[in-house]
Each structure stands twice: as structure tokens, then as C-alpha cells.
Amino acid sequence: MRLQFRNPKTGQFVKGDTKNLDKTFTKFGSNVIQQARGILSKNKKGSSKLSSNLSYNLQTHKSGLSFSIDFGSSSDYWQYVDEGVQGVGGFKGIGRMRGQGSPFKYSTKQPPLSAILTWVKSKGLTGKSQRGIAFAVARSIKQRGLTRTQFITKPIKEQYKKLPNELTKAFALDLENLLDKAIPKTMSA
């Protein structure tokens, strides 16, 4: 993205860069990712694929810029970790229901056994059969649900509150640099 100013005395256009605006969005993205990974780590999901694949992308164009967050191969799964999933209930034993307030709810299906089996193997859990352990875990998740972490929602909301002030300061600096370039000190006197 470029700033452009037309010098009123000469009629010429002067172009300036937006390095301060770019830095502000880079800082925003870095802070969101750092906080998200911290929340995942606190919720014992810090070593997951979701955490390691989490990144942001900032692209500048002639007419503006675009900012996006990338979840890598976990592009479908991140919403369930962020918002949680309500269980169907009816479980016996200790523990509590999870995912209260989530828009997602298990009904007849349970989490995919293949995904849980991969997790069981990565944790090194052994017993009669890893498939049996995976089935028990999947059934438990269906009954009790998944805890709501808000790992991406909270950092975005928190960093977004700071963004307007930081963008104003960054734009002011970029504009000041452009005006210094467009109107030399000798001309303004």
C-alpha cells in the first residue's frame, strides 16, 4: 500500500510508504498468535498441530492490505477448540459437562475415531488395544463435550481494542514522512 500526495505548488504527486502501518499490523498478528499459543499451552494443547501451524498473513496491495490467520491442516478443527462442543450428556462417573455456551453440540455422531487414534498413539497410551482406548476417549468426548478455550477469540478481541489508537499513530507518522518528502522545508517557509 502506498500513500500519495499532490503538492499544491508544483502539482506533482509524491508517493510515500506505509512502513509504520505495516509494522502495526505485523505487531497485531504477532501478538494474537503469541497469546493464542499461550492459551493453547495453558489448556494442554500447546504441542498440538493446531499450535504449531498457527500463523498470520499480511499482504499489501496497491489499493490496501489484507490480513488473515492461517490454521494449516487444522482449518476445520480450530473452531471446535475455540468454541468448545457441548456433549450429549447422560454420562456416568466423575467429571463435568464441557462446552457450555458453545454453538456446537454432539448429537448422534462422536469425534472421528481416526483422529482420536492418532492422538492416543502420539501420547504413547497402551493397553489391550489402542483402538479400544481411542473409542473410549471418543465416547467420553461425545458424552461430556470439549472445553471452550477461546484461544483465538480472546486474543483477537484484546488486540483489536488497541488497534485503532496504534493505527492512528502509525498513519500519522507515515503521513508526516510523506509530507516532509512532498513539501521540502525550504518551500514551506
Side-chain angles (χ1 to χ4, degrees), residues 19 24 26 28 31 41 55 59 85 90 101 115 132 136 145 167 170-171 174 189:
K19 67 180 179 182
T24 300
T26 299
F28 172 80
N31 288 345
S41 182
S55 65
Q59 292 181 334
V85 181
L167 283 175
F171 183 71
D174 286 340

Side-chain angles (χ1 to χ4, degrees), residues 4-14 179 181-184 187:
Q4 200 168 322
F5 176 76
R6 186 174 188 161
N7 186 316
K9 291 185 179 181
T10 64
Q12 293 179 327
F13 282 99
V14 178
L179 292 175
K181 192 174 169 183
I183 306 171
M187 285 183 73

Side-chain angles (χ1 to χ4, degrees), residues 75-99:
S75 62
D76 295 331
Y77 175 64
W78 74 269
Q79 293 175 318
Y80 302 117
V81 175
D82 188 59
E83 289 295 329
V85 181
Q86 294 180 42
V88 296
F91 65 94
K92 296 179 181 175
I94 61 171
R96 59 180 167 73
M97 289 293 285
R98 303 178 190 133

Side-chain angles (χ1 to χ4, degrees), residues 12-178:
Q12 293 179 327
F13 282 99
V14 178
K15 294 180 181 179
D17 61 30
T18 56
K19 67 180 179 182
N20 292 300
L21 284 171
D22 292 349
K23 281 182 190 177
T24 300
F25 278 107
T26 299
K27 180 181 172 187
F28 172 80
S30 296
N31 288 345
V32 166
I33 299 303
Q34 182 180 10
Q35 284 183 289
R37 285 187 176 141
I39 292 170
L40 286 171
S41 182
K42 181 180 167 188
N43 286 283
K44 298 183 175 124
K45 297 178 187 318
S47 62
S48 67
K49 262 189 188 178
L50 178 59
S51 182
S52 61
N53 288 340
L54 197 56
S55 65
Y56 71 93
N57 187 11
L58 176 66
Q59 292 181 334
T60 56
H61 312 280
K62 286 182 181 180
S63 60
L65 56 91
S66 63
F67 179 86
S68 62
I69 295 178
D70 185 21
F71 299 98
S73 62
S74 304
S75 62
D76 295 331
Y77 175 64
W78 74 269
Q79 293 175 318
Y80 302 117
V81 175
D82 188 59
E83 289 295 329
V85 181
Q86 294 180 42
V88 296
F91 65 94
K92 296 179 181 175
I94 61 171
R96 59 180 167 73
M97 289 293 285
R98 303 178 190 133
Q100 302 303 323
S102 172
F104 306 111
K105 181 177 171 93
Y106 287 112
S107 53
T108 56
K109 292 185 177 184
Q110 61 189 34
L113 197 58
S114 60
I116 304 295
L117 188 57
T118 302
W119 177 82
V120 166
K121 289 177 181 176
S122 74
K123 295 294 180 186
L125 299 175
T126 57
K128 276 192 170 182
S129 88
Q130 288 182 330
R131 190 167 173 80
I133 293 171
F135 181 80
V137 170
R139 180 163 161 63
S140 175
I141 290 172
K142 176 186 173 187
Q143 297 298 102
R144 294 177 58 197
L146 290 174
T147 305
R148 191 176 199 187
T149 65
Q150 299 263 298
F151 81 97
I152 200 74
T153 302
K154 283 181 185 177
I156 286 176
K157 284 181 179 179
E158 186 179 312
Q159 293 301 317
Y160 187 74
K161 285 179 188 176
K162 300 175 189 176
L163 198 56
N165 289 336
E166 291 179 9
L167 283 175
T168 302
K169 289 175 188 174
F171 183 71
L173 287 171
D174 286 340
L175 187 58
E176 185 179 324
N177 290 338
L178 174 66

